[in-house]
Amino acid sequence: MSEQSNSPQAPDRTPRVVIAGAGMAGVQTAVALREHGWRGAITLLGDEPHQPYDRPPLSKAVLLGKAEGSAFDIDFAGLGIDLQLGRPVTALRPDDHVVQTAQGPIRYAYAVLATGAEPITLPGSEGLPGVHLLRTLDDAERLRPVLAAQHRIVVVGAGWIGAEFATAAREAGCEVTVVEAADHPLAGALPTEVAAHMAGWYADAGAELRTGARVASVAPGAVTLADGTTLPADAVVVGIGARPATAWLAGSGVALSPEDGSVLADERLHTSAPDVYAVGDCASFPSARYRTRLLVHHWDNALQGPRTVAENIARGTAEGVVYDPVPYFWSEQFGRFVQYAGHHGDADELVWRGDPTGAAWSVLWLRHEPGAGAGEPAGRLVALLAVGRPRDLAQGRRLIERGALLDRERAADAAVPLKSAVR
């Protein structure tokens, strides 16, 4: 499957799937295509020179020097997958069925957009020595000696990545200060009344958390906050979110969200362009379950979505299968195992399950049917956060999939199995 087969001298008439992006979503799409019986060619294009790898270990074992990498154990050649590393995509030409790269064009029968997300940088910090992001294997390898030297580190952002990095840095013996512009950690994911109980985890681990703290400037050796406070910093790690890596699609005609830049995939993960699908962190999709469009930047979505894409391509029919998962993610921070399943909104009722000042507790979100209010004794379980209660998560995830109604009183009793709280 050499690139010469795409040249005018030797036209390649084998149906080819070209997958842009060799992260979890791209790799899993390639593997799933073979599992679903796709017998045509598969070309997998990766930006980085490294063998495709899993990202979660980057903020844990790889960062701490407990592992050299996290490459997928996949025999690409044995599966007939043409893996091309160090070959980033630069444009898409749907009318010609061509993916453009710096090394030349590649024709496709189907294209899969799996370019993931790219970290948001802190304005004014780009290119400064000692300022780091944590998204790639190279990022983790640059940070390893920083942790090993037990430097003073300022982490900007108390989201999932910020918390996981702070956990690793404290384990390495670093002095850690985390600054967060919002008034509580995990502000983009959890309400104040829930996240407030997680703020104490930082102090328990010996890290300082400063909320309501905006960064005014970064200079070598220091971070200055908007209130004039200067924090000494041998290194700065920025974890303030990520955005879909879709700038390369400009001019392609592929519809993007004006709000977040994600590829606007439909319920079958097909894009607005013919024969082009999108999956993983770069794509949003409509959820009939939650009656809204979801953009999910988590590992499980990059694992599950490719199965839908592969089946729809292998079928080659207009109908295809619908993608409507219960979103799921997990995080290890400050000695706690945190899991979340589902999707909640501000109007959903929050039900505590266990003592949030303790080591193990859960939070449920119940959605009341039209005409019902918070005073009703039952609601449909739509989301669940579990801290140190994996059984709650496992049972709750299945109940969310079923659209189960829970009795509020029984659901709030941590001694009652969730499955026994079904109305």
Side-chain angles (χ1 to χ4, degrees), residues 16 108 124 144 152 171 215 251 268 278 300 326 333 336 347-348 359 363 408:
R16 180 181 299 272
Y108 64 81
R144 279 167 67 166
R152 294 171 300 178
E171 184 176 334
V215 174
R268 293 173 176 81
D300 191 66
V326 173
Q333 47 186 272
R336 294 165 175 85
D348 298 322
V363 175
R408 183 193 302 108

Side-chain angles (χ1 to χ4, degrees), residues 186-397:
L186 299 170
L190 299 173
T192 303
E193 60 265 43
V194 175
H197 294 285
M198 303 162 118
W201 297 357
Y202 288 78
D204 292 344
E208 180 183 3
L209 173 64
R210 290 174 174 249
T211 56
R214 293 188 175 275
V215 174
S217 64
V218 178
V223 173
T224 301
L225 304 181
D227 65 2
T229 302
T230 297
L231 304 174
D234 298 311
V236 177
V237 177
V238 179
I240 54 176
R243 61 169 62 91
T246 56
W248 69 283
L249 293 169
S252 68
V254 172
L256 304 179
S257 166
E259 285 81 27
D260 55 39
S262 64
V263 177
L264 292 172
D266 67 12
E267 68 276 8
R268 293 173 176 81
L269 298 182
H270 196 275
T271 74
S272 61
D275 303 321
V276 179
Y277 292 82
V279 68
D281 290 2
C282 72
S284 59
F285 57 90
S287 169
R289 184 191 311 276
Y290 291 107
R291 301 171 191 167
T292 190
R293 177 168 286 274
L294 298 179
L295 174 60
V296 182
H297 281 186
H298 293 294
W299 185 89
D300 191 66
N301 179 54
L303 177 67
Q304 303 296 339
R307 297 170 184 170
T308 296
V309 169
E311 185 170 351
N312 287 337
I313 290 175
R315 281 188 177 191
T317 61
E319 295 80 15
V321 295
V322 170
Y323 186 61
D324 195 7
V326 173
Y328 166 76
F329 66 85
W330 57 273
S331 175
E332 292 178 291
Q333 47 186 272
F334 308 114
R336 294 165 175 85
F337 188 46
V338 183
Q339 297 171 283
Y340 178 93
H343 175 75
H344 70 271
D346 293 341
D348 298 322
E349 182 188 6
L350 190 153
V351 176
W352 290 98
R353 181 172 165 82
D355 180 3
T357 65
W361 47 277
S362 297
V363 175
L364 314 177
W365 282 270
L366 303 182
R367 183 163 300 177
H368 298 276
E369 300 305 319
E376 293 296 315
R380 181 164 57 89
L381 181 65
V382 294
L384 165 74
L385 173 77
V387 177
R389 290 182 66 94
R391 183 172 296 179
D392 276 2
L393 191 288
Q395 293 183 10
R397 192 177 184 182

Side-chain angles (χ1 to χ4, degrees), residues 152-156 166 175-179 206-210 231-232:
R152 294 171 300 178
I153 300 175
V154 171
V155 181
V156 182
E175 180 183 323
V176 179
T177 301
V178 181
V179 295
E208 180 183 3
L209 173 64
R210 290 174 174 249
L231 304 174

Side-chain angles (χ1 to χ4, degrees), residues 63-64 144 146-150 166-174:
L63 190 61
L64 289 169
R144 279 167 67 166
V146 174
L147 268 62
Q150 299 185 336
T167 299
R170 284 300 301 140
E171 184 176 334
C174 298

